Amino acid sequence: MTADIIEIFSSIQGEGIFLGAKQIFVRFKRCNLTCAYCDEDLDRKARRYSPLELMKEVKALEGAKGPHHSISLTGGEPLLYAEFLRSFLKILRKNRNFRSYLETNGTLPYELAKVIDLVDIVAMDFKLPSSTGERPFWTEHLEFLKIASKKKVFVKAIVTPNTVKNDVEKAIDLIKRMKKNIPFVLQPATPVGPHDKDVPKDALVGFLEIGLKHELANIRVIPQIHKILNMK
Ligand code: SF4
């Protein structure tokens, strides 16, 4: 059993509620979505790893640059490799000082169910259709969140100048249906092209106000800090 991995590196988590934590990042190739704002070059050359080979690399990086807060499994979409992940996470669990942090687009609940018992933290996205240009994934997100909420979980949604209020309201409603205190992070998309615009500040404040009016306990705006710090 193998997985295609683009890169393995040590850096600082730039998103969500674990912002600033030092992590080892394992970036899997391939994704099941094509979000309009995606800034990952998933066509980059990958190397094929077995779970044991990946563990060896992780241990070597921990030895050279550790200690780290956790191991971020990111992509692409890491759950496209659920069987591989299950095998790797079992090995990781035997190394007790490693915590696992799954960064996922939140659209593959059946794949999440295969690994949730072995994951420590789930950083899941809600893909707002007005932000991504993709179809809505509300049904998948709700199923996913039900499973993810067995562990420590937070939800993140990328907002762009195209994001509409109805999508933010729908996301808030889904979180409230699960648990009001699940943290919800609105992340303004970092402009990547010369014609990309910043998300207007009053729109961000307006989205926060919707959450507060709906009594969502923990909603906030957090930009990507690794971009601000010019880090990987
Ligand atoms: S889910 Fe993430 S990696 Fe996949 S296309 Fe969207 S932004 Fe890119």
Side-chain angles (χ1 to χ4, degrees), residues 145-164:
L145 191 53
K146 274 184 201 160
I147 301 165
S149 60
K150 292 176 188 161
K151 294 296 177 81
K152 186 159 190 60
V153 61
F154 74 92
V155 177
K156 182 189 83 200
I158 307 285
V159 293
T160 74
N162 297 326
T163 304
V164 299

PDB file of all heavy atoms in Angstrom, residues 145-164:
ATOM      1  N   LEU A 145     -19.152  16.270   9.670  1.00  0.00           N
ATOM      2  CA  LEU A 145     -19.030  16.931  10.969  1.00  0.00           C
ATOM      3  C   LEU A 145     -19.540  16.033  12.098  1.00  0.00           C
ATOM      4  O   LEU A 145     -18.990  16.037  13.195  1.00  0.00           O
ATOM      5  CB  LEU A 145     -19.784  18.272  10.940  1.00  0.00           C
ATOM      6  CG  LEU A 145     -19.549  19.218  12.119  1.00  0.00           C
ATOM      7  CD1 LEU A 145     -18.065  19.490  12.353  1.00  0.00           C
ATOM      8  CD2 LEU A 145     -20.287  20.538  11.897  1.00  0.00           C
ATOM      9  N   LYS A 146     -20.577  15.245  11.807  1.00  0.00           N
ATOM     10  CA  LYS A 146     -21.092  14.299  12.805  1.00  0.00           C
ATOM     11  C   LYS A 146     -19.980  13.338  13.235  1.00  0.00           C
ATOM     12  O   LYS A 146     -19.808  13.051  14.408  1.00  0.00           O
ATOM     13  CB  LYS A 146     -22.227  13.454  12.211  1.00  0.00           C
ATOM     14  CG  LYS A 146     -23.581  14.094  12.305  1.00  0.00           C
ATOM     15  CD  LYS A 146     -24.630  13.117  11.778  1.00  0.00           C
ATOM     16  CE  LYS A 146     -25.874  13.876  11.388  1.00  0.00           C
ATOM     17  NZ  LYS A 146     -26.744  13.136  10.476  1.00  0.00           N
ATOM     18  N   ILE A 147     -19.237  12.849  12.252  1.00  0.00           N
ATOM     19  CA  ILE A 147     -18.160  11.888  12.550  1.00  0.00           C
ATOM     20  C   ILE A 147     -16.974  12.610  13.196  1.00  0.00           C
ATOM     21  O   ILE A 147     -16.429  12.165  14.200  1.00  0.00           O
ATOM     22  CB  ILE A 147     -17.716  11.166  11.255  1.00  0.00           C
ATOM     23  CG1 ILE A 147     -18.899  10.427  10.635  1.00  0.00           C
ATOM     24  CG2 ILE A 147     -16.557  10.210  11.513  1.00  0.00           C
ATOM     25  CD1 ILE A 147     -18.684   9.988   9.192  1.00  0.00           C
ATOM     26  N   ALA A 148     -16.615  13.764  12.633  1.00  0.00           N
ATOM     27  CA  ALA A 148     -15.436  14.499  13.130  1.00  0.00           C
ATOM     28  C   ALA A 148     -15.632  14.967  14.561  1.00  0.00           C
ATOM     29  O   ALA A 148     -14.662  15.084  15.324  1.00  0.00           O
ATOM     30  CB  ALA A 148     -15.156  15.697  12.219  1.00  0.00           C
ATOM     31  N   SER A 149     -16.878  15.226  14.957  1.00  0.00           N
ATOM     32  CA  SER A 149     -17.106  15.790  16.290  1.00  0.00           C
ATOM     33  C   SER A 149     -16.888  14.768  17.412  1.00  0.00           C
ATOM     34  O   SER A 149     -16.975  15.103  18.574  1.00  0.00           O
ATOM     35  CB  SER A 149     -18.483  16.440  16.389  1.00  0.00           C
ATOM     36  OG  SER A 149     -19.468  15.486  16.146  1.00  0.00           O
ATOM     37  N   LYS A 150     -16.539  13.522  17.029  1.00  0.00           N
ATOM     38  CA  LYS A 150     -16.109  12.561  18.051  1.00  0.00           C
ATOM     39  C   LYS A 150     -14.731  12.943  18.582  1.00  0.00           C
ATOM     40  O   LYS A 150     -14.286  12.451  19.611  1.00  0.00           O
ATOM     41  CB  LYS A 150     -16.014  11.148  17.446  1.00  0.00           C
ATOM     42  CG  LYS A 150     -17.358  10.570  17.068  1.00  0.00           C
ATOM     43  CD  LYS A 150     -17.172   9.221  16.388  1.00  0.00           C
ATOM     44  CE  LYS A 150     -18.499   8.738  15.842  1.00  0.00           C
ATOM     45  NZ  LYS A 150     -18.332   7.710  14.821  1.00  0.00           N
ATOM     46  N   LYS A 151     -14.015  13.774  17.796  1.00  0.00           N
ATOM     47  CA  LYS A 151     -12.668  14.210  18.175  1.00  0.00           C
ATOM     48  C   LYS A 151     -12.646  15.732  18.254  1.00  0.00           C
ATOM     49  O   LYS A 151     -13.654  16.381  18.021  1.00  0.00           O
ATOM     50  CB  LYS A 151     -11.649  13.726  17.115  1.00  0.00           C
ATOM     51  CG  LYS A 151     -11.508  12.230  17.051  1.00  0.00           C
ATOM     52  CD  LYS A 151     -10.941  11.685  18.362  1.00  0.00           C
ATOM     53  CE  LYS A 151     -10.833  10.169  18.384  1.00  0.00           C
ATOM     54  NZ  LYS A 151      -9.674   9.647  17.710  1.00  0.00           N
ATOM     55  N   LYS A 152     -11.462  16.293  18.540  1.00  0.00           N
ATOM     56  CA  LYS A 152     -11.353  17.757  18.547  1.00  0.00           C
ATOM     57  C   LYS A 152     -11.494  18.240  17.098  1.00  0.00           C
ATOM     58  O   LYS A 152     -10.759  17.780  16.220  1.00  0.00           O
ATOM     59  CB  LYS A 152      -9.994  18.162  19.128  1.00  0.00           C
ATOM     60  CG  LYS A 152      -9.853  19.643  19.302  1.00  0.00           C
ATOM     61  CD  LYS A 152      -8.781  20.018  20.297  1.00  0.00           C
ATOM     62  CE  LYS A 152      -8.818  21.495  20.628  1.00  0.00           C
ATOM     63  NZ  LYS A 152     -10.056  21.970  21.205  1.00  0.00           N
ATOM     64  N   VAL A 153     -12.426  19.132  16.858  1.00  0.00           N
ATOM     65  CA  VAL A 153     -12.680  19.573  15.477  1.00  0.00           C
ATOM     66  C   VAL A 153     -12.953  21.072  15.447  1.00  0.00           C
ATOM     67  O   VAL A 153     -13.504  21.628  16.392  1.00  0.00           O
ATOM     68  CB  VAL A 153     -13.880  18.800  14.862  1.00  0.00           C
ATOM     69  CG1 VAL A 153     -15.171  19.029  15.626  1.00  0.00           C
ATOM     70  CG2 VAL A 153     -14.088  19.155  13.394  1.00  0.00           C
ATOM     71  N   PHE A 154     -12.520  21.694  14.369  1.00  0.00           N
ATOM     72  CA  PHE A 154     -12.998  23.043  14.062  1.00  0.00           C
ATOM     73  C   PHE A 154     -13.302  23.113  12.577  1.00  0.00           C
ATOM     74  O   PHE A 154     -12.814  22.286  11.793  1.00  0.00           O
ATOM     75  CB  PHE A 154     -11.993  24.127  14.507  1.00  0.00           C
ATOM     76  CG  PHE A 154     -10.760  24.242  13.657  1.00  0.00           C
ATOM     77  CD1 PHE A 154     -10.703  25.112  12.580  1.00  0.00           C
ATOM     78  CD2 PHE A 154      -9.635  23.474  13.948  1.00  0.00           C
ATOM     79  CE1 PHE A 154      -9.551  25.219  11.801  1.00  0.00           C
ATOM     80  CE2 PHE A 154      -8.482  23.581  13.177  1.00  0.00           C
ATOM     81  CZ  PHE A 154      -8.439  24.465  12.103  1.00  0.00           C
ATOM     82  N   VAL A 155     -14.128  24.090  12.201  1.00  0.00           N
ATOM     83  CA  VAL A 155     -14.530  24.254  10.803  1.00  0.00           C
ATOM     84  C   VAL A 155     -13.951  25.563  10.287  1.00  0.00           C
ATOM     85  O   VAL A 155     -13.940  26.574  10.997  1.00  0.00           O
ATOM     86  CB  VAL A 155     -16.072  24.290  10.670  1.00  0.00           C
ATOM     87  CG1 VAL A 155     -16.478  24.527   9.219  1.00  0.00           C
ATOM     88  CG2 VAL A 155     -16.689  23.006  11.188  1.00  0.00           C
ATOM     89  N   LYS A 156     -13.484  25.501   9.044  1.00  0.00           N
ATOM     90  CA  LYS A 156     -12.947  26.703   8.405  1.00  0.00           C
ATOM     91  C   LYS A 156     -13.649  26.872   7.054  1.00  0.00           C
ATOM     92  O   LYS A 156     -13.900  25.880   6.373  1.00  0.00           O
ATOM     93  CB  LYS A 156     -11.440  26.477   8.189  1.00  0.00           C
ATOM     94  CG  LYS A 156     -10.696  27.620   7.587  1.00  0.00           C
ATOM     95  CD  LYS A 156      -9.292  27.161   7.234  1.00  0.00           C
ATOM     96  CE  LYS A 156      -9.288  26.463   5.904  1.00  0.00           C
ATOM     97  NZ  LYS A 156      -8.164  25.597   5.628  1.00  0.00           N
ATOM     98  N   ALA A 157     -13.976  28.109   6.706  1.00  0.00           N
ATOM     99  CA  ALA A 157     -14.532  28.365   5.366  1.00  0.00           C
ATOM    100  C   ALA A 157     -13.751  29.515   4.745  1.00  0.00           C
ATOM    101  O   ALA A 157     -13.535  30.549   5.393  1.00  0.00           O
ATOM    102  CB  ALA A 157     -16.012  28.727   5.460  1.00  0.00           C
ATOM    103  N   ILE A 158     -13.321  29.308   3.521  1.00  0.00           N
ATOM    104  CA  ILE A 158     -12.627  30.378   2.790  1.00  0.00           C
ATOM    105  C   ILE A 158     -13.686  31.333   2.255  1.00  0.00           C
ATOM    106  O   ILE A 158     -14.661  30.894   1.630  1.00  0.00           O
ATOM    107  CB  ILE A 158     -11.833  29.816   1.596  1.00  0.00           C
ATOM    108  CG1 ILE A 158     -10.892  28.689   2.024  1.00  0.00           C
ATOM    109  CG2 ILE A 158     -11.075  30.936   0.872  1.00  0.00           C
ATOM    110  CD1 ILE A 158      -9.669  29.085   2.744  1.00  0.00           C
ATOM    111  N   VAL A 159     -13.471  32.621   2.505  1.00  0.00           N
ATOM    112  CA  VAL A 159     -14.375  33.614   1.924  1.00  0.00           C
ATOM    113  C   VAL A 159     -13.608  34.459   0.908  1.00  0.00           C
ATOM    114  O   VAL A 159     -12.437  34.771   1.085  1.00  0.00           O
ATOM    115  CB  VAL A 159     -15.063  34.497   2.997  1.00  0.00           C
ATOM    116  CG1 VAL A 159     -16.004  33.677   3.845  1.00  0.00           C
ATOM    117  CG2 VAL A 159     -14.060  35.192   3.902  1.00  0.00           C
ATOM    118  N   THR A 160     -14.284  34.753  -0.191  1.00  0.00           N
ATOM    119  CA  THR A 160     -13.690  35.524  -1.277  1.00  0.00           C
ATOM    120  C   THR A 160     -14.615  36.730  -1.534  1.00  0.00           C
ATOM    121  O   THR A 160     -15.690  36.818  -0.937  1.00  0.00           O
ATOM    122  CB  THR A 160     -13.602  34.673  -2.569  1.00  0.00           C
ATOM    123  OG1 THR A 160     -14.938  34.562  -3.117  1.00  0.00           O
ATOM    124  CG2 THR A 160     -13.043  33.285  -2.325  1.00  0.00           C
ATOM    125  N   PRO A 161     -14.236  37.630  -2.441  1.00  0.00           N
ATOM    126  CA  PRO A 161     -15.152  38.739  -2.751  1.00  0.00           C
ATOM    127  C   PRO A 161     -16.487  38.242  -3.320  1.00  0.00           C
ATOM    128  O   PRO A 161     -17.467  38.990  -3.347  1.00  0.00           O
ATOM    129  CB  PRO A 161     -14.367  39.565  -3.787  1.00  0.00           C
ATOM    130  CG  PRO A 161     -12.926  39.258  -3.489  1.00  0.00           C
ATOM    131  CD  PRO A 161     -12.906  37.815  -3.077  1.00  0.00           C
ATOM    132  N   ASN A 162     -16.554  36.986  -3.770  1.00  0.00           N
ATOM    133  CA  ASN A 162     -17.807  36.445  -4.330  1.00  0.00           C
ATOM    134  C   ASN A 162     -18.708  35.759  -3.304  1.00  0.00           C
ATOM    135  O   ASN A 162     -19.821  35.335  -3.644  1.00  0.00           O
ATOM    136  CB  ASN A 162     -17.492  35.405  -5.425  1.00  0.00           C
ATOM    137  CG  ASN A 162     -16.756  36.025  -6.577  1.00  0.00           C
ATOM    138  OD1 ASN A 162     -16.989  37.183  -6.903  1.00  0.00           O
ATOM    139  ND2 ASN A 162     -15.842  35.270  -7.169  1.00  0.00           N
ATOM    140  N   THR A 163     -18.226  35.595  -2.082  1.00  0.00           N
ATOM    141  CA  THR A 163     -18.990  34.833  -1.078  1.00  0.00           C
ATOM    142  C   THR A 163     -20.297  35.544  -0.723  1.00  0.00           C
ATOM    143  O   THR A 163     -20.292  36.751  -0.445  1.00  0.00           O
ATOM    144  CB  THR A 163     -18.143  34.638   0.200  1.00  0.00           C
ATOM    145  OG1 THR A 163     -16.931  34.002  -0.167  1.00  0.00           O
ATOM    146  CG2 THR A 163     -18.884  33.792   1.228  1.00  0.00           C
ATOM    147  N   VAL A 164     -21.388  34.774  -0.706  1.00  0.00           N
ATOM    148  CA  VAL A 164     -22.692  35.390  -0.401  1.00  0.00           C
ATOM    149  C   VAL A 164     -23.128  35.020   1.020  1.00  0.00           C
ATOM    150  O   VAL A 164     -22.777  33.960   1.546  1.00  0.00           O
ATOM    151  CB  VAL A 164     -23.790  34.978  -1.421  1.00  0.00           C
ATOM    152  CG1 VAL A 164     -23.421  35.429  -2.832  1.00  0.00           C
ATOM    153  CG2 VAL A 164     -24.068  33.482  -1.385  1.00  0.00           C
TER     154      VAL A 164
END
